[in-house]
Amino acid sequence: MSNLILKNLPNIYRHSLRTTSCLTIRAYRGVATKMTTEIDKDELKKRLTPIQWHVTQEKGTERPFTGTYNKFYERGTYTCVVCDQELFSSETKYDSGCGWPAFNEVLDQGRVKLTKDTTHDMVRTEVTCSTCGSHLGHVFNDGPKPTRKRFCINSASISFHAAGDKKKSDS
């Protein structure tokens, strides 16, 4: 949590769980403020599968051609498996042959954060969820027109909501 937010909150909101950050809007004394909330890492580890934990929290990757959504083409929306933020539409998904789900665009640029990644002796651009910071995959500039983008996303980092279905958080 940022120091600016912490100094403006009463002590009751300042706790020190082992946590990861998520962005949310919270009302305090009738005023909506943008602040960082906290997700208990122990609870998250219980909720996620081992591969989901490894990919989203340890910046891991699933083996190519093994993910649930690699060859999956139903109509709907893909969301972050940790915070359920909507990220990709099935309309932008395509078969790139890379072994992971590929999209040529996000629903909105503000929904992901792009960061230079120089691990494994490569230079790539990491894609993380802008709400909770979970690792999703990488983006490359070798996709189809018009964007030329290939968002190469781990199936373990996303959930799918079929078109017309309400998400769990909407019910």
Side-chain angles (χ1 to χ4, degrees):
M1 212 180 277
S2 77
N3 290 334
L4 176 64
I5 292 167
L6 276 176
K7 75 178 185 180
N8 292 321
L9 288 177
N11 285 334
I12 192 170
Y13 293 112
R14 300 179 201 179
H15 51 85
S16 58
L17 294 171
R18 290 179 14 191
T19 58
T20 186
S21 297
C22 278
L23 188 63
T24 191
I25 303 294
R26 187 181 276 178
Y28 176 67
R29 292 191 181 171
V31 177
T33 57
K34 191 160 92 172
M35 64 176 285
T36 304
T37 60
E38 308 205 345
I39 295 174
D40 184 327
K41 286 260 189 182
D42 292 331
E43 285 299 316
L44 186 60
K45 197 163 192 172
K46 288 176 191 172
R47 183 168 60 88
L48 299 179
T49 66
I51 189 66
Q52 288 172 327
W53 174 265
H54 176 63
V55 168
T56 63
Q57 304 304 301
E58 299 173 335
K59 298 182 186 282
T61 191
E62 62 202 11
R63 289 188 335 250
F65 305 102
T66 63
T68 303
Y69 302 118
N70 181 43
K71 298 285 185 180
F72 182 85
Y73 297 103
E74 291 186 28
R75 289 184 47 233
T77 304
Y78 294 86
T79 62
C80 175
V81 73
V82 172
C83 70
D84 210 32
Q85 173 172 240
E86 293 182 342
L87 301 168
F88 301 97
S89 167
S90 60
E91 293 177 14
T92 64
K93 187 174 186 297
Y94 68 101
D95 186 0
S96 69
C98 68
W100 292 274
F103 303 86
N104 66 3
E105 190 60 86
V106 294
L107 285 172
D108 180 88
Q109 289 298 320
R111 296 176 189 243
V112 296
K113 180 179 175 188
L114 305 179
T115 309
K116 185 176 181 179
D117 177 3
T118 57
T119 59
H120 307 294
D121 296 324
M122 295 182 273
V123 178
R124 303 175 290 175
T125 302
E126 180 187 17
V127 181
T128 56
C129 176
S130 65
T131 297
C132 67
S134 292
H135 174 77
L136 302 171
H138 292 86
V139 63
F140 304 94
N141 293 319
D142 59 3
K145 291 179 182 179
T147 65
R148 296 279 189 205
K149 299 288 184 197
R150 174 172 52 99
F151 286 86
C152 187
I153 305 299
N154 290 281
S155 288
S157 69
I158 53 178
S159 295
F160 177 76
H161 302 278
D165 285 355
K166 288 193 177 254
K167 294 189 321 184
K168 289 178 192 171
S169 60
D170 292 344
S171 49

